[in-house]
Each structure stands twice: as structure tokens, then as C-alpha cells.
Amino acid sequence: MIKTKRKTEDATEDVTEEITNEIEAPPEPTIPFYEKYKRNEHGLINSVDYVFNEDGSVDWRKMIKDEFLYPNKGWFDIRKKQMPSSIEDLKDNQLLIMLGGIKELAKLRGFHSVEYKVDHPSEKHVVAKCSIAWIKNYESGCSVTFEDVANATLDNTDDFCAKFLETIACNRAFVRCVRNFLNIHIVGADEIDKSKGSLNPSIESSTYESSSVPVTPSGILEKTLREKHGVADFEGFRIILRDLWSSEKYRYEGIKDWKQFEDIPAKEARILLPLINKK
């Protein structure tokens, strides 16, 4: 409150006026860049807003920024569906994730080291094993080492990538290692088979872009069925599954839950592949 004097025609009177001065809030302290990556006792980065599942674990799928996701063109082309212009409302199996998104996820989770072991079964075939030593956090309770394997051949790369088979194999192994450890079901763009092959003549198409099929056990199974047996979709595969069930060559209680090739567990896809190849 501030007292002032105001003159009028008759007299000078004291007037008490309330003067409110706008006081600017002090600027928020700037966090040093090195503080942004500090982790708390739970192994989480203090400056990051995490999304959690109902069981309290981190929902790593929702930690992927949209800028690292895009529609899987091959998935829509092979099913003769219009290519969407955005990722809105798309399912995980209709998306691809960039290598940059996988790297960011790995950085968020935190790791001690990444190691590769590369083998050359032949001149045209490279196999890479990626081993990541993850730091301790509240989910694991201790440091964990996780490994995964991927390959690169002249049959599952395009002409450009064929010159860098070791790099492609290592990238694929790294992507797969991070995805599987963090339970991410979106296929990495680096995992995609970018080769081009011919379709079975029974399928009405002149060319087949196998880039729609990920280099995973279920993806290889889908590709084998399409190229060797003319099975154009999952409904066609159901017929083969019924035959295998009836002949007691293959039975799995979880079949009823399979709606698409991506639903087939890797272990079951590996069991099915030799059975399919015998047909």
C-alpha cells in the first residue's frame, strides 16, 4: 500500500492508493547439459518422462517417438492396399522403426557395452551376433547381458547393401537385440529383406517386393509359403495348418490366437519351416 497526496479545488487530501506492480518471476534455473542424463536409484533418467505399463514396468513401445516410425510400404503393397500418408491408427505390424529410434531406446534404457561377433559361412553370407550388456534398473534388478543373431546374404539385401553385408548383418543383429530385450514388436527397417524375387506363377503379380517381409522366423515362413507354395495370405496358411493338425504332424494350442503371420512365435515358426519345406 502506498500513500499519495492528491490536490482538489477545495483542499489537498491524503489518498491511500493500492499500487500493484507486476513482478516478473525469476527465470527457471538452466539444467547443465550433463545433468540431463543423470539416473536415479531406479536406473531411470531424471529428465525423461517415462510411460509405464499396468504392472509398473516401462512401456518401451510408447517411448518411441513418432518421428522414428513410418508405414511399411511393402506390407500395404503386397496386400494391394492404399499406402497411408501417416502412421495414425496403424498397428505395430504395419509400421517400421528407423535405426535412430532403436539407438535412442538403447540409450534411454542404458547399457555398458555393445559387442559383435561376425562369421562368414560363405562369401555371400554373413552372420552377426550382437551382445548388449544392459545396466541395472528396477525392472531387472541387476546388470543383464542379452544376445541376438541376424544375417545378411545376397538373397536378402538389395544391390547396394550387398556391398556391405557385414554392416547390414550387424545393424540387423543390434536392432533385433534391442527390440527383443525391450519387447518391441515393430520390425526395424534394417531387418527388412530388401531383395526382389519372382512370385509363384499362381499369384497374379509380375514382381514381388519381399521388403514387406521381415527377416524373422515368422517372416521367413511367410516368404517360403508365398514363393514355394503360392500361399498369398494367412487364410491360405490356415488350410495348411488344418492339414498338419489332422495328420498330427503339428499341433499347438495357441494356433487359435494367430490372426496373422506376425502372431506366430519364433519357436513355432522354426518348427513349422521344415514341415512346410517337406510339403
Side-chain angles (χ1 to χ4, degrees):
M1 303 285 285
I2 300 176
K3 281 191 174 182
T4 61
K5 287 189 176 182
R6 183 173 63 197
K7 288 186 177 181
T8 64
E9 292 181 359
D10 301 325
T12 299
E13 58 183 18
D14 290 336
V15 178
T16 301
E17 295 180 338
E18 183 176 350
I19 300 177
T20 304
N21 292 325
E22 291 186 3
I23 303 175
E24 293 184 2
E28 294 184 4
T30 303
I31 302 175
F33 68 91
Y34 52 83
E35 292 285 344
K36 293 182 178 180
Y37 297 101
K38 276 197 171 181
R39 296 180 182 269
N40 57 30
E41 67 273 19
H42 305 297
L44 304 180
I45 300 175
N46 291 320
S47 61
V48 173
D49 292 326
Y50 289 85
V51 181
F52 298 93
N53 295 305
E54 290 183 0
D55 62 2
S57 60
V58 177
D59 188 337
W60 294 105
R61 162 63 182 89
K62 291 185 179 177
M63 297 300 293
I64 303 171
K65 295 178 182 177
D66 287 350
E67 65 193 76
F68 293 116
L69 300 174
Y70 63 98
N72 181 353
K73 183 177 182 296
W75 191 95
F76 292 93
D77 286 350
I78 201 169
R79 292 163 177 81
K80 297 181 180 179
K81 295 185 178 182
Q82 184 176 358
M83 172 74 170
S85 58
S86 74
I87 65 172
E88 188 176 358
D89 298 327
L90 294 185
K91 297 178 181 178
D92 284 357
N93 66 312
Q94 298 170 321
L95 296 169
L96 292 177
I97 180 172
M98 301 177 190
L99 180 59
I102 294 294
K103 289 181 177 179
E104 183 167 282
L105 278 180
K107 186 173 72 172
L108 284 175
R109 174 55 180 80
F111 57 90
H112 294 297
S113 63
V114 179
E115 297 180 0
Y116 297 95
K117 180 180 178 182
V118 179
D119 291 322
H120 299 74
S122 73
E123 229 179 71
K124 303 176 181 179
H125 186 187
V126 177
V127 178
K129 179 168 71 174
C130 177
S131 177
I132 301 178
W134 301 96
I135 66 171
K136 171 185 175 181
N137 79 349
Y138 77 100
E139 294 174 299
S140 62
C142 61
S143 297
V144 178
T145 298
F146 189 84
E147 298 178 341
D148 220 317
V149 178
N151 72 1
T153 72
L154 296 184
D155 293 327
N156 64 22
T157 56
D158 59 21
D159 292 339
F160 175 77
C161 293
K163 300 176 182 178
F164 310 99
L165 292 182
E166 291 86 356
T167 302
I168 300 302
C170 287
N171 282 347
R172 286 175 174 177
F174 173 74
V175 169
R176 190 167 298 171
C177 193
V178 175
R179 284 201 313 108
N180 288 337
F181 182 72
L182 298 181
N183 202 29
I184 305 296
H185 300 301
I186 303 174
V187 173
D190 291 78
E191 294 179 272
I192 291 298
D193 179 352
K194 295 180 174 63
S195 63
K196 292 185 179 182
S198 298
L199 271 174
N200 187 300
S202 63
I203 301 177
E204 296 179 1
S205 177
S206 57
T207 59
Y208 166 58
E209 293 190 13
S210 57
S211 59
S212 62
V213 179
V215 188
T216 59
S218 61
I220 295 171
L221 176 63
E222 180 181 2
K223 183 178 179 181
T224 301
L225 286 162
R226 183 170 287 115
E227 294 183 348
K228 295 186 177 181
H229 302 284
V231 177
D233 52 33
F234 192 75
E235 290 304 312
F237 181 43
R238 286 185 186 278
I239 298 173
I240 294 177
L241 285 174
R242 292 191 192 102
D243 290 342
L244 291 172
W245 185 284
S246 299
S247 62
E248 298 185 357
K249 292 180 180 178
Y250 176 79
R251 290 190 174 186
Y252 177 69
E253 292 300 327
I255 286 180
K256 60 181 182 298
D257 299 321
W258 298 352
K259 307 297 181 186
Q260 55 196 356
F261 285 102
E262 290 85 351
D263 294 335
I264 304 174
K267 178 182 177 182
E268 298 306 314
R270 292 189 182 101
I271 294 173
L272 283 163
L273 271 169
L275 295 175
I276 297 301
N277 285 328
K278 289 178 182 179
K279 291 183 71 67

